[in-house]
Amino acid sequence: MSDFSSTSTAARLLPGGPVAERILTEVAEGVAALRAAVLVGDDDASAGYIRIKQRQAARLGFASPHVHLPASASQADLHAVLVDFNADRGVHGVLVQHPVPGHLDYDRALQVLDPDKDVDGMHPVNMGRLALGLPGPLPCTPAGIEALLAYHQVPVAGREVVVLGRGATLGRPLAMLLAQKRPTANAAVTVVHTGVADWPRYTRRAEILVVAAGVPGIVRPEHVRPGAVVVGGGVRYEGRRLLPDVDESCARVAGAITPRVGGVGPTTVAMLFRNALKAAGG
Ligand SMILES: NC(=O)c1ccc[n+]([C@@H]2O[C@H](COP(=O)([O-])OP(=O)(O)OC[C@H]3O[C@@H](n4cnc5c(N)ncnc54)[C@H](OP(=O)(O)O)[C@@H]3O)[C@@H](O)[C@H]2O)c1
């Protein structure tokens, strides 16, 4: 727990691994003979993510058939697969691995998917449910961040959270989630982006700073309030090299910080399976 008066030179680490393990243990206990479908477009970078998710699915006892469409697949081909999955009562959860090849429209495909099978929590209906506080699959990365903070006993309620980035997968839904009336949320949330030229003015006053810009090294120590909790959500890949938004030197100023590798990522995958279990009525 950060008290904002920390003078230590190394921030406490907030790893996502143990959070993910706890969630996945709960999920595994709930899995009987469920099936989760994973659909991948013909994208090399995505193949690795699919493999990780399938390994995890097997470990948890989910069946995870996946349809690998060729790069030449049309939007109609993609929709046809989703329509089949929608109708298949043995398939409880479906995800369209992002990004899809350039000629395909991910958002349109998502709208074809049955919102109750949307384990990514990204369907417009599920975003609407989130906005209205109705039950439904939550977007995985934001839900994972809430779980990570709760697991590490970082108080969120009543505190000032600043989110850098308002993207649809992370910043925007996270802001909605952490502002909800719940003991592990209930925060005063501010969202900053390219429209706020002096965003450091906001990040410097954040008790909890979540970085979700996808701009390597955008947050440096001078942008962080001493003793603050820093969560690095944004990453970019250069080949296989992971380039995080949060410069590692921020650990000198922060009270607690997610590690460069093994922070938000594992909790995102864990939430995917929690959504899959819930989609199956578990
Ligand atoms: N770890 C995980 O499991 C995980 C999962 C999902 C996503 N991510 C990562 O999270 C990041 C965000 O994802 P997303 O889909 O939400 O991204 P996105 O749609 O690209 O949104 C990026 C946001 O950052 C803002 N931004 C970019 N450059 C900025 C700058 N120089 N100054 C201020 N604001 C800036 C943008 O502002 P504007 O709106 O003004 O353009 C935008 O709101 C990505 O790096 C993604 O890879 C990680």
Side-chain angles (χ1 to χ4, degrees), residues 205-243:
R205 69 172 202 218
E207 296 175 284
I208 300 170
L209 171 60
V210 184
V211 190
V215 180
I218 187 170
V219 167
R220 297 187 303 275
E222 63 268 32
H223 303 133
V224 176
R225 171 174 168 165
V229 173
V230 179
V231 177
V235 289
R236 190 181 291 170
Y237 280 91
E238 215 175 66
R240 297 193 65 160
R241 237 179 98 222
L242 180 145
L243 304 172

Side-chain angles (χ1 to χ4, degrees), residues 16-17 19-25 27 56 60 140 144 264-276:
V19 194
E21 272 314 306
R22 178 187 285 178
I23 295 163
L24 292 172
T25 302
V27 169
Q56 193 63 264
L60 293 170
C140 296
V264 169
T267 65
T268 299
V269 178
M271 286 301 162
L272 183 75
F273 289 105
R274 201 173 75 168
N275 280 343

Side-chain angles (χ1 to χ4, degrees), residues 76-151:
D77 295 334
L78 177 56
H79 289 190
V81 173
L82 293 174
V83 166
D84 283 350
F85 278 145
N86 284 349
D88 187 340
R89 290 166 63 90
V91 170
H92 299 96
V94 180
L95 75 83
V96 181
Q97 182 64 45
H98 192 264
V100 293
H103 66 284
L104 297 178
D105 184 336
Y106 173 82
D107 291 330
R108 268 180 61 213
L110 200 57
Q111 288 175 41
V112 171
L113 184 61
D114 177 348
D116 291 330
K117 294 190 178 187
D118 163 38
V119 289
D120 263 336
M122 293 299 298
H123 190 287
V125 166
N126 291 323
M127 286 290 175
R129 287 167 166 165
L130 170 61
L132 294 170
L134 298 172
L138 291 171
C140 296
T141 309
I145 290 175
E146 184 182 343
L148 183 125
L149 293 171
Y151 178 92

Side-chain angles (χ1 to χ4, degrees), residues 141 164-172 192-196 199 211-215 218 232-236 245 264-266 268:
T141 309
L164 174 58
R166 58 180 162 192
T169 49
L170 187 41
R172 208 174 326 153
V192 291
H193 37 74
T194 59
V196 182
W199 57 260
V211 190
V215 180
I218 187 170
V235 289
R236 190 181 291 170
D245 282 4
V264 169
T268 299

